Amino acid sequence: MNKTWIVAQREFNSRVKKKTFLLSTILFPLLIFGFYAFIIYFSVKGNDDLVIAIADKANVFNGKLDSDSDVKFAFVNDASAASLEQKVEKKQYGGYIYIPADFNISSGSLNVYYNKTIGMISQERIERRINKLLEQKRLLALNITQEQLDSARKRSAIEFKPVSGAKESGKAKAGLSYAVGYASGFLIYIILFIYGTMVMRGVMEEKTNRIAEVIVSSVKPFQLMMGKIVGIGAVGLLQFIIWIVLGVAATALIPLLLQGGDASAVQNVPGAGAMVQASQSNPVSAVISDINFALILPCFLFYFLGGYLLYSSLFAAVGSAVNEDPQDAQSLLLPVTMPIIFGIVIMTKAVNDPTGNLSVFGSLFPLTSPIVMMARIAHGVPNGVTAWELILSMVFLIAGFILTTWLAGKIYRTGILMYGKKPTWKEMWKWAFRKS
């Protein structure tokens, strides 16, 4: 145990003192935040207005068609089609609609002429507004009064209420739970890849440099593997703490970016839409207080450490079996990385349906539970996950970690001193179950 600790200290100190650690710890989250800030800022304030000119000779719209911050309509009823086409070519308008005097509102069709391509979302907005107004005109032509039309279109207030004994989960809380669950699961997904690969490359470097031969003369291979895993895991934990502090500071800056702009414009920004929806229906402080962060944070650390320890031992086993050729590692990594990819796929479903059968399976299966369970925990206990499922998932993850570490340790013991032979999973399987 003492030798494992010494190896872990060496791994931790050698990596933390490198300049690349500071660069990856400080600059990476700043780049991510800057990228998102760039997208949000220009989504809110940087939109170029699309102006569609309408020459309504038949007076179909009576000079009224709703505009918004993205698409605006300008009525120029005295203009001809030729003059409008020239103005579009000169970029005075983004496009134009010419409605002839004999236009039939029941069977006629409209054309939107443009010079430069109009985006799909903008096209959908233009179609929706025009069709809505044409539908209203057609119904009025059938002697349906405006009052009858408004009454038929009146939307009923639908509220979601829990049955007796169940906890309330409003729309705002569901939106924020979605964002927290998605961010937590995705973060663990990234971590498993980054730090697992870091462990594998560290093992490969020591093997190819023949340093491992010197070290295993005084340290057991299993102690060497565990020391490397623990040391790199401690580096990851330190980075996490720094990232959480930077994340809290960055979150405080988001309202400044949205200030004075159209908040609805960020609905299409990944991860920001759900948070905006949640904050629009309720005050942010009230919504955040509904999320059980006292449960989420300890569970996040548990699944982060559990997932890392489980997968890093497998990455270490692959690294120990590989010789100088990195292509060998790529062929051996597929069975290790596939469960991680399955986990992120199941997680995207679990954030919307935390109690579905696939979500329950993914959160109990040790190879996918570190990613999937975070999506369910964000919805709370017992709304998203029951207490017994959470405990069972943790027990399975611990058992999975013990099993994979035992297998990886036996592979590592043989593979770290094996040279000149291209490894296969069949060969590694024999190493794992070879009698000592």
Side-chain angles (χ1 to χ4, degrees):
M1 188 65 189
N2 186 41
K3 292 180 178 177
T4 302
W5 177 246
I6 292 172
V7 174
Q9 276 187 313
R10 170 185 167 275
E11 287 293 332
F12 180 82
N13 291 329
S14 63
R15 293 175 186 277
V16 168
K17 290 177 181 177
K18 285 182 179 177
K19 289 182 181 178
T20 52
F21 173 79
L22 285 176
L23 290 174
S24 61
T25 303
I26 305 297
L27 289 183
F28 179 72
L30 288 179
L31 285 173
I32 295 293
F33 173 73
F35 178 71
Y36 263 81
F38 180 82
I39 294 175
I40 292 173
Y41 180 83
F42 283 99
S43 296
V44 173
K45 298 181 177 179
N47 285 333
D48 294 327
D49 292 341
L50 173 65
V51 181
I52 302 295
I54 301 177
D56 189 1
K57 305 294 184 184
N59 202 25
V60 174
F61 299 121
N62 295 326
K64 294 179 181 177
L65 193 56
D66 292 339
S67 300
D68 63 11
S69 58
D70 294 326
V71 180
K72 299 186 184 327
F73 297 98
F75 284 89
V76 283
N77 293 342
D78 55 343
S80 63
S83 64
L84 286 174
E85 188 165 334
Q86 290 179 353
K87 290 182 179 180
V88 169
E89 290 174 350
K90 293 178 181 176
K91 300 181 182 178
Q92 292 183 19
Y93 299 115
Y96 78 91
I97 301 172
Y98 184 82
I99 305 175
D102 57 349
F103 178 77
N104 189 326
I105 196 171
S106 299
S107 59
S109 61
L110 296 176
N111 297 321
V112 180
Y113 297 95
Y114 59 89
N115 188 24
K116 290 191 175 181
T117 303
I118 298 175
M120 188 175 67
I121 295 176
S122 297
Q123 287 187 26
E124 191 272 335
R125 287 177 174 172
I126 293 169
E127 287 181 15
R128 186 174 66 245
R129 284 182 194 140
I130 292 177
N131 280 325
K132 182 181 177 182
L133 202 55
L134 289 176
E135 180 190 46
Q136 184 176 346
K137 293 283 183 183
R138 290 174 189 137
L139 289 172
L140 290 173
L142 297 174
N143 296 323
I144 298 175
T145 64
Q146 185 64 46
E147 289 74 16
Q148 290 173 322
L149 192 60
D150 293 339
S151 176
R153 286 178 173 172
K154 186 178 180 182
R155 298 183 64 177
S156 299
I158 300 175
E159 295 185 13
F160 293 86
K161 297 282 187 183
V163 298
S164 60
K167 288 187 177 180
E168 186 172 354
S169 177
K171 189 180 293 184
K173 184 186 175 185
L176 192 58
S177 298
Y178 179 98
V180 171
Y182 192 94
S184 304
F186 191 75
L187 206 52
I188 290 182
Y189 166 77
I190 295 292
I191 287 166
L192 294 182
F193 267 115
I194 292 177
Y195 294 109
T197 307
M198 197 181 292
V199 170
M200 186 188 71
R201 290 190 178 280
V203 173
M204 288 173 61
E205 286 175 6
E206 287 185 350
K207 181 179 178 181
T208 53
N209 295 333
R210 305 275 177 160
I211 296 174
E213 293 180 29
V214 179
I215 298 177
V216 295
S217 63
S218 56
V219 179
K220 292 181 179 178
F222 184 77
Q223 292 174 323
L224 176 60
M225 185 188 78
M226 287 306 300
K228 185 173 288 293
I229 290 173
V230 172
I232 293 177
V235 175
L237 198 59
L238 177 62
Q239 278 188 320
F240 249 122
I241 294 171
I242 296 173
W243 286 350
I244 288 172
V245 173
L246 292 175
V248 171
T251 304
L253 294 176
I254 289 178
L256 298 177
L257 294 171
L258 298 177
Q259 193 173 14
D262 181 10
S264 63
V266 302
Q267 296 290 334
N268 296 322
V269 179
M275 295 185 69
V276 170
Q277 285 181 357
S279 63
Q280 284 176 339
S281 53
N282 278 322
V284 175
S285 58
V287 176
I288 290 177
S289 65
D290 288 339
I291 303 296
N292 190 356
F293 285 105
L295 172 68
I296 292 173
L297 288 177
C299 287
F300 180 83
L301 288 176
F302 176 83
Y303 282 100
F304 156 63
L305 290 174
Y308 166 74
L309 292 173
L310 188 148
Y311 275 101
S312 60
S313 58
L314 295 175
F315 276 101
V318 171
S320 69
V322 174
N323 294 307
E324 287 82 0
D325 190 0
Q327 297 293 331
D328 294 342
Q330 292 182 6
S331 61
L332 293 174
L333 273 178
L334 186 62
V336 179
T337 55
M338 284 304 291
I340 303 176
I341 296 171
F342 286 145
I344 194 70
V345 172
I346 298 173
M347 188 274 286
T348 58
K349 179 174 175 56
V351 289
N352 272 323
D353 183 17
T355 57
N357 292 334
L358 185 61
S359 305
V360 173
F361 168 77
S363 62
L364 295 179
F365 188 53
L367 293 176
T368 55
S369 63
I371 300 171
V372 180
M373 183 54 86
M374 290 313 303
R376 299 187 65 196
I377 289 175
H379 291 272
V381 176
N383 282 10
V385 56
T386 59
W388 72 265
E389 287 175 342
L390 182 58
I391 294 170
L392 196 61
S393 171
M394 290 180 170
V395 172
F396 283 169
L397 183 58
I398 293 171
F401 157 64
I402 294 172
L403 177 63
T404 56
T405 305
W406 177 75
L407 287 172
K410 301 196 76 171
I411 295 172
Y412 187 92
R413 182 184 58 188
T414 305
I416 198 70
L417 298 174
M418 185 73 72
Y419 291 93
K421 186 176 181 181
K422 187 175 182 179
T424 63
W425 272 106
K426 184 179 178 181
E427 190 77 19
M428 293 167 67
W429 191 254
K430 290 180 182 177
W431 297 348
F433 293 98
R434 178 182 298 167
K435 291 184 179 178
S436 302

